[in-house]
Amino acid sequence: MEYSSVIVHDWLTVFAGSEKVVEKIYKLYPSPIYTLVADKTSVKNSLFSDAEISTSFIQRLPFSRTKYRNYLPLFPLAIEGIDLSKYDIILSSSHAVAKGVLKRSDQLHICYCYTPMRYIWNIYHQYMQDSNLNKGFKSILTRIIIHYLRMWDVSSVNRVDYFIADSKYIANSIKSIYGRDATVIYPPVEVEAFEIGKNKDDYYLAASRMVPYKKIDLIVEAFSRMKDKKLLVIGDGPDRNRIKKKASKNVELLGYQPFDRLKEYMKNARAFIFAAQEDFGIMPVEAQACGTPVIAYGKGGACETVIDNKTGIFFKEQTPEDIIEAVNRFEKIDGVFDVKELRQNALRFNKDNFNREYKLFVDKAVNDFF
């Protein structure tokens, strides 16, 4: 029997990690795509560029394609307003509200969850502090909105029949916050697009969007104290000016770089520095695919992608002091890292493994449900 399917994603305004997962899901199950807001120029070169993409009323609000996060309180209303009643299978891709679409009891909903909304759960206090929302009327209003979002988020959990998590770390979060079990299927990383760098240079590399939770400022501060070591930083974002003020002459902020340039820097770096507590973290895997060891914060998804003392090393706290200690420790054992072992570890997360595991999961769920 043929069943109709639909894909739901939070928003399609950039083509980043989660959108690459949607691309793979669409290739496996070509379906209409529903989202809160879309900028179709951002997906024009993707596999789903020819898909039928439908949006919510958020799309029609002022500056929605760039300032959509300002409409966060409206997201639950918007996602519930999407009518999916004509489909049998809902395949959601969710790091915010996509999992909360309304469904009938005879519809199957499988959610690939990158994280429960991080700014209302796991990094709530950090978000409030980084946004200067610890006091005042704006703080009170924000706390009320986030409290409402938490209640909605938990109340919508039972609209999902099966959860898939992108890491064990997130599976634990889903269990802790939602009280639901989740199967871990690691996201697809384009490891085949990277090659081992044979001529390592004497610089360290960090690359990320410059937003507070990525902790690029800590990396820059650490290397500004190690003036005998060179750090290159790739990426842009709202924190760039603040980070630039912390950079000494041995730290170079390169801004946004196209993929080919990023790859060259990654291939030739002595090590890749990663200070965020990520749900999964694609860049540490990409670095290992280049034969570049990773110096990472020892919490979150990096603990599942980096093998301590074999493909990288961990530091315990998100502080400049711990990063400095880790870099010094790394330099003492630099010769033990085998580029082939680094590459082999990265290959565990290739797109073929994702495609196979996701399809097996969905097909079994369909057979069990209908």
Side-chain angles (χ1 to χ4, degrees):
M1 183 176 175
E2 290 291 325
Y3 299 103
S4 58
S5 60
V6 62
I7 297 169
V8 184
H9 186 59
D10 294 300
W11 46 79
L12 288 171
T13 55
V14 295
F15 193 75
S18 62
E19 287 72 35
K20 291 178 182 178
V21 175
V22 175
E23 184 181 52
K24 301 303 182 292
I25 294 172
Y26 180 77
K27 187 175 180 181
L28 291 169
Y29 301 96
S31 309
I33 298 174
Y34 285 78
T35 187
L36 293 179
V37 59
D39 181 353
K40 294 187 180 180
T41 59
S42 70
V43 299
K44 65 181 178 182
N45 295 320
S46 69
L47 290 177
F48 57 85
S49 58
D50 61 343
E52 175 191 335
I53 299 176
S54 301
T55 57
S56 73
F57 69 80
I58 300 290
Q59 183 80 23
R60 299 188 293 275
L61 299 179
F63 309 107
S64 62
R65 284 182 290 181
T66 55
K67 303 292 185 182
Y68 54 91
R69 286 184 176 86
N70 292 346
Y71 299 114
L72 179 63
L74 299 177
F75 284 3
L77 185 66
I79 205 72
E80 289 181 346
I82 294 175
D83 182 5
L84 305 178
S85 58
K86 63 183 177 181
Y87 303 102
D88 301 307
I89 303 166
I90 301 168
L91 303 173
S92 68
S93 162
S94 183
H95 50 73
V97 297
K99 72 165 184 54
V101 290
L102 297 177
K103 56 153 273 184
R104 300 187 313 270
S105 60
D106 62 341
Q107 289 175 297
L108 171 64
H109 181 179
I110 300 170
C111 174
Y112 190 91
C113 184
Y114 308 95
T115 177
M117 270 192 281
R118 63 169 65 92
Y119 31 87
I120 70 171
W121 295 110
N122 288 342
I123 64 166
Y124 165 67
H125 293 290
Q126 179 187 327
Y127 168 75
M128 296 295 287
Q129 182 175 340
D130 291 341
S131 304
N132 295 317
L133 290 170
N134 283 330
K135 58 184 179 180
F137 175 76
K138 197 172 180 180
S139 171
I140 295 171
L141 181 61
T142 302
R143 291 172 195 274
I144 291 170
I145 291 170
I146 288 178
H147 182 68
Y148 149 71
L149 286 171
R150 284 199 202 102
M151 290 191 295
W152 176 86
D153 196 36
V154 172
S155 71
S156 65
V157 166
N158 289 330
R159 300 172 194 174
V160 177
D161 297 294
Y162 296 96
F163 274 103
I164 302 172
D166 68 345
S167 66
K168 294 175 185 175
Y169 168 65
I170 291 304
N172 290 336
S173 290
I174 291 170
K175 183 68 173 179
S176 173
I177 296 169
Y178 297 153
R180 295 285 299 277
D181 293 323
T183 298
V184 176
I185 299 178
Y186 291 115
V189 182
E190 299 284 348
V191 291
E192 298 84 358
F194 295 84
E195 311 87 32
I196 291 175
K198 296 179 180 178
N199 300 308
K200 296 296 184 184
D201 207 336
D202 193 25
Y203 65 84
Y204 293 85
L205 177 68
S208 171
R209 286 181 297 117
M210 291 188 177
V211 293
Y213 85 93
K214 296 289 188 178
K215 303 298 181 184
I216 296 295
D217 58 328
L218 298 183
I219 300 173
V220 168
E221 187 174 336
F223 275 85
S224 293
R225 298 184 195 176
M226 298 185 287
K227 300 194 187 305
D228 59 325
K229 307 183 197 305
K230 184 177 181 180
L231 174 70
L232 302 182
V233 182
I234 292 175
D236 211 340
D239 266 14
R240 179 167 183 173
N241 288 337
R242 182 172 68 89
I243 291 168
K244 188 176 182 179
K245 292 176 182 177
K246 295 186 175 187
S248 57
K249 291 182 179 179
N250 60 308
V251 176
E252 190 174 350
L253 304 186
L254 301 175
Y256 167 80
Q257 295 291 315
F259 174 74
D260 287 345
R261 295 296 297 155
L262 168 64
K263 184 169 71 170
E264 285 303 307
Y265 283 118
M266 196 171 273
K267 281 168 58 177
N268 299 324
R270 188 171 182 180
F272 184 78
I273 315 292
F274 190 75
Q277 183 172 339
E278 279 282 17
D279 315 319
F280 174 74
I282 287 177
M283 282 197 168
V285 177
E286 294 174 339
Q288 291 172 82
C290 296
T292 300
V294 179
I295 301 173
Y297 177 48
K299 288 187 179 179
C303 294
E304 299 169 51
T305 62
V306 178
I307 304 172
D308 198 19
N309 293 318
K310 287 191 175 182
T311 69
I313 63 171
F314 295 115
F315 53 91
K316 292 183 179 179
E317 302 293 335
Q318 289 173 309
T319 64
E321 292 76 16
D322 266 38
I323 295 172
I324 292 169
E325 188 277 332
V327 170
N328 291 330
R329 183 159 37 97
F330 167 79
E331 292 191 349
K332 291 178 182 177
I333 62 169
D334 192 1
V336 308
F337 296 102
D338 183 341
V339 294
K340 292 181 179 177
E341 187 172 14
L342 283 153
R343 173 81 179 179
Q344 198 60 38
N345 184 53
L347 288 173
R348 295 190 292 136
F349 307 100
N350 66 56
K351 61 185 178 183
D352 290 338
N353 285 345
F354 172 84
N355 290 343
R356 182 181 65 256
E357 292 177 26
Y358 186 84
K359 190 171 191 309
L360 281 171
F361 185 95
V362 171
D363 289 354
K364 184 180 184 302
V366 169
N367 288 334
D368 291 345
F369 189 85
F370 292 105

